[in-house]
Amino acid sequence: MYCPVIDLVKQLVRCPSLSPDDAGCQPILIDRLQAMGFTIELINIGNTFNFWASRGKGKTLVFAGHTDVAPVGDIKRWLYSPFEPCTKNGMLFGRGTADMKGSLAAMIVAAERFVQSYPQHRGRLAFLITSDEEGCSINGTVKVVERLMERNECIDYCLVGEPSSNEKVGDVIKNGRRGSLTANLFVHGIQGHVAYPHVANNPIHRIVPILHQLINIKWDRGNSFFSPTSMQIANIQAGVGSNNTIPDNCFAQFNFRFNTQVSSSIIQSRVEDILNQNQVNYSIQWDIIRHPFLTKQGNLLHEVVNAIKHYSKITPKTLTTGGTSDGYFMAKMGAEVVELGPVNTTIHKINECVKESDLKILSFIYQRIMEKLVA
């Protein structure tokens, strides 16, 4: 039986949009939006495709998402071709079905039904779509938001279609995310023969106790919205390829996922204090990927919860767990931000899939949110 949501998902999945290549997804979405009377603004930067679409005036509800997908991995391990969508026992298989072409299709079809029912809606409905979320995220949502802020655009509500659900569509929504801070640390030593350590300076020996000290720091206890700040070592590199040579440098990369109880500057200062106390010769580069953001109870969160209760018959958990998202950039504009999308158990995996019935429900949830906020 024909279903407009599933048909649109399949069209999008057939576009091999490996980040940041859009591969033809956005023209499909733009055609559908233009047919509804949306004004389209292309904001393409470098090899990244972005567009801003809006309809109406007044209080603004933005649906945000991305058309790019993660790499497919070993294609031989897929049950079905990752860019040839296939339905089996009610599950739709294909790269992007869950993250996040399924959400995009649900949004567009929801908007079509909404505009048909409320052609003179009192608020503004908008879409912000990028092809640079799964990659480096340099020329995507961040640049579009900068453009919007330069001209004093006002956004009241933003719903991001990231796959937030754990087991059933709507069982988890995200009203914020932790910040992400990465340290790239080089400890410098003196190269030498392992048999003569007294005339060398082994940077590995210097860095190990420092990392141990950092691992055991309790940065905070978290709060009612966020879990405690955590640190994880991602990479350690040293050595010249010989078992009898002390290297002259050791590189360590570690990441902090931090909450609103501690700032990136506090973390940086404490790490560098420890390095100085240990009297090591070092250089460090900090990369602040995101600051934490949080949307407390407001109109958007209220209507999202009610819409989920209405269609999924459950009360969602409101969490801030997981990685980073483009919701951070929307929050910078002062918008209430909530993430709501399909079940995330197969995202970025071989044989990514989603229940077709979940996408149908999700589309009605999105439509109800539109009706409550901008109808």
Side-chain angles (χ1 to χ4, degrees):
M1 183 180 295
Y2 173 79
C3 172
V5 176
I6 304 307
D7 180 72
L8 181 52
V9 179
K10 290 180 177 180
Q11 290 183 53
L12 297 175
V13 170
R14 291 189 184 102
C15 302
S17 53
L18 295 169
S19 188
D21 186 7
D22 177 68
C25 291
Q26 292 186 22
I28 295 172
L29 302 179
I30 288 170
D31 285 348
R32 302 281 283 257
L33 290 166
Q34 285 180 324
M36 289 182 262
F38 278 78
T39 299
I40 308 296
E41 179 182 359
L42 301 180
I43 311 177
N44 299 334
I45 301 171
N47 59 358
T48 297
F49 293 81
N50 308 299
F51 75 82
W52 168 256
S54 63
R55 188 184 196 278
K57 297 180 179 179
K59 286 269 188 179
T60 301
L61 168 62
V62 178
F63 280 78
H66 60 89
T67 54
D68 57 320
V69 297
V72 300
D74 184 358
I75 197 169
K76 295 179 181 178
R77 295 177 56 198
W78 284 74
L79 295 173
Y80 315 99
S81 175
F83 297 114
E84 286 296 331
C86 179
T87 299
K88 186 72 172 179
N89 298 325
M91 301 296 295
L92 178 61
F93 289 81
R95 177 56 93 221
T97 51
D99 188 12
M100 58 172 292
K101 293 179 178 182
S103 296
L104 293 177
M107 292 173 182
I108 296 295
V109 174
E112 290 173 336
R113 292 193 299 257
F114 170 76
V115 169
Q116 185 175 19
S117 299
Y118 301 93
Q120 304 299 322
H121 52 88
R122 60 181 171 81
R124 182 169 65 155
L125 184 61
F127 284 81
L128 193 165
I129 309 298
T130 182
S131 71
D132 182 25
E133 196 276 343
E134 297 291 7
C136 56
S137 301
I138 293 175
N139 292 322
T141 301
V142 58
K143 292 295 178 63
V144 178
V145 167
E146 288 174 359
R147 179 82 60 90
L148 297 176
M149 292 177 71
E150 285 173 358
R151 66 190 194 208
N152 298 317
E153 288 272 8
C154 179
I155 294 176
D156 300 281
Y157 316 111
C158 178
L159 196 148
V160 184
E162 289 292 347
S164 63
S165 306
N166 286 345
E167 297 178 2
K168 182 177 181 181
V169 64
D171 61 357
V172 172
I173 58 178
K174 304 290 179 72
N175 67 324
R177 294 283 187 139
R178 296 172 297 176
S180 177
L181 174 67
T182 294
N184 297 287
L185 171 65
F186 287 89
V187 170
H188 311 293
I190 300 174
Q191 184 172 319
H193 197 291
V194 295
Y196 303 95
H198 58 286
V199 293
N201 183 0
N202 194 326
I204 302 175
H205 291 194
R206 305 302 302 276
I207 205 170
V208 167
I210 293 171
L211 293 176
H212 181 74
Q213 188 174 351
L214 292 172
I215 289 169
N216 286 286
I217 291 177
K218 303 297 183 185
W219 295 93
D220 54 68
R221 296 182 179 180
N223 55 35
S224 57
F225 299 102
F226 291 97
S227 58
T229 294
S230 66
M231 173 203 159
Q232 288 293 313
I233 300 170
N235 288 289
I236 298 178
Q237 298 172 9
V240 297
S242 170
N243 69 350
N244 65 359
T245 303
I246 294 170
D248 59 356
N249 280 288
C250 182
F251 169 74
Q253 184 181 65
F254 43 97
N255 178 269
F256 296 89
R257 294 302 166 109
F258 64 102
N259 55 47
T260 52
Q261 299 292 102
V262 64
S263 68
S264 59
S265 59
I266 288 175
I267 294 173
Q268 292 177 48
S269 178
R270 189 165 181 187
V271 169
E272 291 179 19
D273 284 345
I274 290 171
L275 289 166
N276 292 329
Q277 290 165 12
N278 280 271
Q279 298 181 337
V280 293
N281 181 16
Y282 73 92
S283 55
I284 191 167
Q285 176 188 351
W286 293 98
D287 184 11
I288 178 67
I289 300 167
R290 297 281 196 281
H291 291 283
F293 75 92
L294 177 70
T295 289
K296 297 183 180 180
Q297 183 63 52
N299 291 337
L300 178 60
L301 193 57
H302 176 75
E303 296 302 344
V304 169
V305 170
N306 283 345
I308 292 169
K309 287 180 178 178
H310 182 81
Y311 284 107
S312 287
K313 311 301 181 184
I314 55 176
T315 300
K317 293 180 180 179
T318 304
L319 303 177
T320 59
T321 54
T324 60
S325 86
D326 280 355
Y328 164 73
F329 302 115
M330 310 302 293
K332 289 178 67 176
M333 296 186 70
E336 295 179 28
V337 178
V338 172
E339 297 176 34
L340 166 62
V343 173
N344 57 26
T345 52
T346 64
I347 61 174
H348 290 221
K349 292 183 178 180
I350 302 294
N351 298 319
E352 179 179 352
C353 58
V354 66
K355 282 185 180 178
E356 290 189 345
S357 58
D358 280 357
L359 295 183
K360 297 173 186 177
I361 291 172
L362 186 62
S363 186
F364 284 109
I365 292 173
Y366 287 160
Q367 181 182 349
R368 185 178 174 91
I369 294 166
M370 296 174 187
E371 292 169 352
K372 294 297 181 179
L373 293 176
V374 293

